[in-house]
Amino acid sequence: AAGGLALSGPEHIEMILYSLIARGKTVLAEFTFTSGNFPTITRLLLGKIETDRDGKMSIVYDGYIFHYICSDHILYLCMCDDAGQPKRRIPFNFLEDVRQRFVATYGEASRSAIAFAMNAEFSPVLQTQMDLYNSPNADQFAQVHRKLDDVKNVMVQNIEMVLERGEKLELLVDKSEQLQLDSFRFQKSSKKLRQAMFWKKVKIYLLVFFVIVVLLYIFLAVVCGPAFSKCRDKKK
């Protein structure tokens, strides 16, 4: 068909024939099991796919289907034999698997990389994952991969809960240390207060004793005279 895909290769066509990772129109890595003009078609598709927002979609073209996932302005695309694989779960699982591996390997470097900067290193990864997802056990593997993702999400949630509890424990420890410090300060201030009260009582007792002595002296001075002469004369 005019403008269609001209493919050559073995009679058996793999489910996923071609995969590509791109930033806008800049291809960062790609791999194919066969030859044909579909790389040219994908270059045309790159100019029409909006990568400004995340999402996933499928595009049918001349009996073949292009699946893609757009995440963080990076496009992950694969071409499949739609007639041979009506299910679309496996291609999208493949794309998600590739996306996770690509992000884990390159991170922010993909934002400024030149064309085919990752091709030499990541093209073998695409080949390996395509072999895996094209195998008869691909659907079973996809289910296991999804369960692993679920387990990973649960573990992440548990770790976050542990970290949150850790923050709460740290807060309790801080409060406990503050209470101990306040208790020490209270004991210290109580000791000083008891000492102050003790010396205050001593001063009062001394003052009372002094007043009694003075009053007694005044009383004796009035009765016996200032030099106690009257009392001594009476004794004689």
Side-chain angles (χ1 to χ4, degrees):
L5 301 177
L7 299 172
S8 63
E11 293 182 358
H12 175 70
I13 299 178
E14 302 287 349
M15 184 190 69
I16 302 175
L17 303 174
Y18 171 75
S19 60
L20 168 147
I21 302 173
R23 185 189 67 250
K25 295 182 180 180
T26 303
V27 178
L28 302 177
E30 65 179 349
F31 179 80
T32 179
F33 282 120
T34 184
S35 61
N37 65 342
F38 47 85
T40 303
I41 302 300
T42 57
R43 300 306 188 272
L44 295 176
L45 292 176
L46 291 180
K48 298 180 180 180
I49 297 175
E50 296 182 0
T51 58
D52 294 336
R53 54 184 180 179
D54 296 351
K56 61 182 181 179
M57 189 174 291
S58 301
I59 302 175
V60 178
Y61 187 88
D62 196 21
Y64 296 91
I65 183 166
F66 294 86
H67 305 282
Y68 70 84
I69 291 177
C70 183
S71 176
D72 199 18
H73 303 286
I74 302 297
L75 184 72
Y76 306 87
L77 179 144
C78 68
M79 189 195 79
C80 304
D81 182 359
D82 192 41
Q85 179 57 47
K87 297 181 180 180
R88 301 182 181 182
R89 181 177 63 255
I90 293 177
F92 279 114
N93 287 335
F94 161 77
L95 291 175
E96 179 59 26
D97 187 5
V98 168
R99 185 195 69 81
Q100 294 180 8
R101 294 174 183 272
F102 187 81
V103 172
T105 304
Y106 300 107
E108 297 294 327
S110 59
R111 293 180 177 272
S112 57
I114 61 175
F116 293 99
M118 290 82 173
N119 194 63
E121 183 180 12
F122 203 77
S123 180
V125 178
L126 294 175
Q127 179 183 5
T128 300
Q129 298 312 110
M130 287 169 67
D131 284 334
L132 180 62
Y133 282 88
N134 283 333
S135 67
N137 298 324
D139 198 31
Q140 182 179 0
F141 172 78
Q143 293 179 5
V144 173
H145 184 73
R146 184 169 59 254
K147 290 181 180 179
L148 289 176
D149 286 341
D150 293 340
V151 172
K152 182 182 69 175
N153 292 332
V154 172
M155 291 179 64
V156 170
Q157 293 177 359
N158 290 337
I159 291 174
E160 290 177 349
M161 292 174 64
V162 169
L163 292 176
E164 184 179 356
R165 287 198 297 268
E167 292 177 356
K168 291 181 179 179
L169 289 175
E170 289 178 359
L171 182 59
L172 291 175
V173 170
D174 292 340
K175 288 184 177 180
S176 177
E177 291 178 351
Q178 184 63 38
L179 288 175
Q180 291 179 355
L181 182 60
D182 293 341
S183 176
F184 175 76
R185 290 175 178 173
F186 176 76
Q187 292 177 357
K188 190 175 181 180
S189 61
S190 298
K191 185 177 181 180
K192 290 182 178 180
L193 180 61
R194 286 196 298 269
Q195 291 177 349
M197 294 296 294
F198 171 77
W199 288 112
K200 186 176 181 180
K201 289 182 179 179
V202 171
K203 291 178 180 179
I204 293 175
Y205 292 152
L206 291 175
L207 180 61
V208 171
F209 177 75
F210 178 75
V211 170
I212 292 174
V213 171
V214 171
L215 292 176
L216 182 60
Y217 173 78
I218 294 173
F219 174 76
L220 292 175
V222 171
V223 174
C224 299
F228 303 101
S229 56
K230 296 180 180 181
C231 295
R232 285 197 296 267
D233 294 339
K234 287 181 180 180
K235 289 181 181 180
K236 291 180 180 181

